[in-house]
């Protein structure tokens, strides 16, 4: 069963079994502006929830991408090496950044659902 969650650091997480696909939210890409470079994590890297795993550079600023849960990076979106603008075109679709194997499913309970994330953004 697929489920989508969000972080307060503006990552989205689509959970499918024990694999999480992670990217930045549409709200975050709009705040960043035109993305010009994405530094992807290494496949196989073990990360803890909250670790910086990737970074995004835009014409306006640079932003870190954090691990929404603990686990191991299993795949990265290689298309972003040549097409970083995919994040602007489809932040919550083709512009995904990495996939990870979830180490602790309990951490998923700490993520926001869509309604809670929207409310969080409105309060910013």
């Amino acid at each position: 069963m697929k489920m989508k969650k969000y972080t307060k650091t503006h990552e989205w997480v689509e959970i499918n079994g024990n694999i999480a696909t992670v990217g930045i939210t549409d709200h975050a890409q709009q705040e960043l502006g035109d993305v010009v470079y994405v530094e992807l994590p290494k496949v196989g890297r073990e990360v803890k929830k909250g670790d910086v795993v990737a970074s995004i550079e835009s014409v306006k600023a640079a932003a870190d991408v954090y691990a929404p849960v603990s686990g191991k990076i299993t795949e990265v979106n290689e298309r972003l090496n040549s097409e970083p603008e995919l994040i602007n075109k489809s932040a919550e679709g083709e512009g995904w950044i990495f996939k990870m194997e979830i180490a602790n499913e309990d951490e998923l309970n700490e993520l926001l659902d869509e309604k809670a994330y929207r409310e969080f953004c409105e309060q910013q």
Side-chain angles (χ1 to χ4, degrees), residues 2-63:
K2 282 189 181 180
M3 174 172 56
K4 198 166 185 179
K5 298 277 197 165
Y6 299 86
T7 69
K8 288 185 176 178
T9 50
H10 305 288
E11 289 87 12
W12 59 266
V13 186
E14 189 174 84
I15 299 122
N16 190 0
N18 73 334
I19 299 294
T21 302
V22 181
I24 64 167
T25 64
D26 194 53
H27 172 83
Q29 72 81 18
Q30 286 178 24
E31 294 290 313
L32 280 172
D34 293 338
V35 173
V36 294
Y37 178 74
V38 180
E39 185 180 328
L40 297 168
K42 287 199 180 343
V43 171
R45 180 177 160 198
E46 301 267 355
V47 296
K48 289 196 164 120
K49 178 182 176 183
D51 284 355
V52 173
V53 292
S55 63
I56 297 173
E57 289 179 29
S58 74
V59 292
K60 283 188 192 172

Side-chain angles (χ1 to χ4, degrees), residues 94-118:
E94 291 181 27
W96 63 275
I97 299 170
F98 60 91
K99 294 185 181 187
M100 62 187 300
E101 193 177 295
I102 300 166
N104 181 356
E105 291 189 13
D106 289 343
E107 291 175 347
L108 296 172
N109 297 326
E110 299 165 24
L111 301 175
L112 305 173
D113 63 20
E114 185 174 354
K115 182 174 181 256
Y117 176 72
R118 284 188 186 181

Side-chain angles (χ1 to χ4, degrees), residues 64-103:
D64 290 328
V65 179
Y66 301 92
V69 292
S70 301
K72 183 171 151 183
I73 307 294
T74 58
E75 188 178 345
V76 296
N77 189 350
E78 300 282 354
R79 284 181 67 192
L80 295 175
N81 287 326
S82 58
E83 301 174 72
E85 67 276 10
L86 268 179
I87 288 179
N88 295 115
K89 290 180 185 166
S90 179
E92 299 192 30
E94 291 181 27
W96 63 275
I97 299 170
F98 60 91
K99 294 185 181 187
M100 62 187 300
E101 193 177 295
I102 300 166

